[in-house]
């Protein structure tokens, strides 16, 4: 995988496809490969550049305080180093939180913005959920096992567990097969999730924006839809029925078609 130096750290990334650049920002504890089901389709139309955020994958994991704003600064510097003038930007959950900071602080760099399972400011319920993951990660001594036992049940509906247990097993095997995030790096990333507050930044976002939620998501539920849609100037809202926090895995074809249609509308 190619690597570049930005903001005094090394960022690892993957690049596939041709066309206008599309930056894909991972969610908590994940590396670039988390968008494998999307890149397969997106890369037919866009140059997909999937990054490992600070603290995850094969990017550096320095000590210190992480924040969604810092992640955005890293990605902005990354875009600069690659010589990209302007890119489409997409992210899910932590990736979306990073994306909104990126589009607010560096509007000239963002051509379109895709915010999936996003939230504007962490509330007490989201804080409680993330703190439970922190406790579980420390108790298990393993971030991948915490993701599978602790985060998966928030990401997928009971119906998916019941109807496709082999698919859940395959997703678990995928998590176990990726670079292992050290516990201390997970704690720094997850504290950034808890501290996330971009409410004052939303009105600064100029790029056309697609906001999507899973109907049955509880972590970042549709309770966050109105604040995002009201304060982002050019925003459209999509709700994926029969999904929880991760429509990218639960309704792959529908998610890809809907999000790709938005991206293609704002290309060129």
């Amino acid at each position: 995988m190619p690597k570049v130096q930005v903001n005094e750290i090394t960022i690892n990334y993957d690049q596939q496809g041709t066309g206008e650049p599309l930056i894909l920002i991972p969610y908590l504890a994940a590396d670039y490969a988390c968008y494998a089901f999307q890149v397969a389709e997106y890369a037919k139309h866009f140059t997909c550049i999937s990054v490992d955020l600070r603290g995850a994958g094969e990017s550096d994991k320095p000590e210190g305080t992480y924040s969604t704003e810092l992640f955005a600064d890293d990605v902005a510097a990354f875009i600069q180093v690659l010589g990209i003038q302007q890119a489409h930007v997409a992210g899910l959950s932590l990736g979306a939180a990073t994306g909104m900071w990126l589009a607010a602080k560096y509007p000239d760099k963002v051509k379109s913005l895709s915010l999936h399972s996003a939230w504007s400011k962490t509330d007490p319920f989201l804080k409680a959920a993330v703190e439970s993951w922190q406790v579980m990660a420390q108790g298990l001594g393993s971030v991948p096992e915490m993701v599978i036992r602790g985060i998966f049940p928030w990401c997928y509906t009971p119906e998916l567990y019941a109807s496709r247990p082999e698919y859940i097993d395959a997703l678990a095997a995928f998590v176990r097969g990726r670079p292992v995030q050290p516990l201390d790096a997970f704690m720094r990333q997850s504290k950034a999730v808890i501290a996330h507050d971009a409410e004052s930044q939303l009105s600064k976002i100029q790029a056309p924006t697609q906001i999507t939620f899973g109907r049955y998501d509880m972590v970042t539920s549709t309770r966050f839809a109105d604040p995002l849609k009201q304060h982002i100037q050019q925003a459209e809202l999509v709700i994926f029925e029969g999904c929880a926090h991760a429509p990218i895995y639960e309704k792959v074809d529908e998610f890809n078609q809907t999000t790709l249609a938005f991206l293609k509308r704002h290309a060129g």
Side-chain angles (χ1 to χ4, degrees):
M1 291 297 107
K3 291 180 169 66
V4 293
Q5 293 288 129
V6 300
N7 281 2
E8 300 180 353
I9 64 168
T10 299
I11 294 282
N12 181 66
Y13 70 100
D14 176 70
Q15 181 170 320
Q16 297 183 46
T18 56
E20 294 181 7
L22 167 61
I23 307 293
L24 294 161
I25 309 175
Y27 46 83
L28 178 64
D31 74 333
Y32 75 86
C34 68
Y35 292 112
F37 292 166
Q38 283 64 56
V39 169
E41 285 301 312
Y42 290 174
K44 296 174 185 176
H45 309 275
F46 295 90
T47 300
C48 295
I49 303 167
S50 312
V51 301
D52 287 351
L53 287 177
R54 173 188 299 252
E58 294 181 20
S59 289
D60 286 350
K61 303 166 184 67
E63 295 183 2
T65 302
Y66 292 6
S67 68
T68 49
E69 183 178 5
L70 176 61
F71 295 144
D73 292 339
D74 289 344
V75 177
F78 171 81
I79 291 170
Q80 185 81 26
V81 167
L82 261 58
I84 295 168
Q85 296 298 311
Q86 197 175 47
H88 302 274
V89 173
L92 183 138
S93 199
L94 174 57
T98 300
M100 62 182 72
W101 269 107
L102 180 66
K105 285 189 74 173
Y106 307 95
D108 292 347
K109 294 186 185 297
V110 181
K111 186 165 187 178
S112 77
L113 181 63
S114 300
L115 303 177
H116 309 302
S117 305
W119 78 107
S120 50
K121 178 183 179 179
T122 299
D123 64 4
F125 183 85
L126 179 51
K127 180 173 182 281
V130 177
E131 286 176 342
S132 75
W133 302 339
Q134 292 177 330
V135 171
M136 191 178 293
Q138 290 171 314
L140 290 168
S142 166
V143 175
E145 293 309 311
M146 177 280 302
V147 169
I148 293 160
R149 301 186 198 189
I151 297 184
F152 268 29
W154 294 89
C155 287
Y156 311 120
T157 58
E159 290 76 14
L160 186 68
Y161 270 85
S163 65
R164 300 182 66 192
E166 75 290 343
Y167 183 53
I168 299 290
D169 290 344
L171 291 169
F174 177 76
V175 169
R176 292 187 178 110
R178 301 309 303 161
V180 175
Q181 185 178 40
L183 182 58
D184 62 330
F186 170 76
M187 295 301 288
R188 289 192 286 276
Q189 270 205 339
S190 56
K191 285 175 182 175
V193 170
I194 291 171
H196 175 65
D197 179 359
E199 281 189 341
S200 65
Q201 304 300 308
L202 299 180
S203 62
K204 301 175 186 176
I205 295 173
Q206 299 172 13
T209 302
Q210 184 180 60
I211 301 163
T212 77
F213 291 96
R215 174 68 72 190
Y216 299 115
D217 190 354
M218 289 178 65
V219 188
T220 57
S221 73
T222 53
R223 71 187 185 278
F224 293 114
D226 283 347
L228 290 169
K229 194 168 188 305
Q230 286 173 11
H231 293 102
I232 297 175
Q233 298 164 35
Q234 301 183 66
E236 61 181 65
L237 176 64
V238 176
I239 307 294
F240 292 106
E241 302 295 341
C243 294
H245 190 60
I248 63 169
Y249 303 122
E250 194 148 9
K251 291 284 181 75
V252 177
D253 290 344
E254 182 185 350
F255 180 89
N256 290 353
Q257 289 171 17
T258 303
T259 56
L260 192 53
F262 168 81
L263 289 164
K264 288 165 73 175
R265 259 199 334 270
H266 296 286

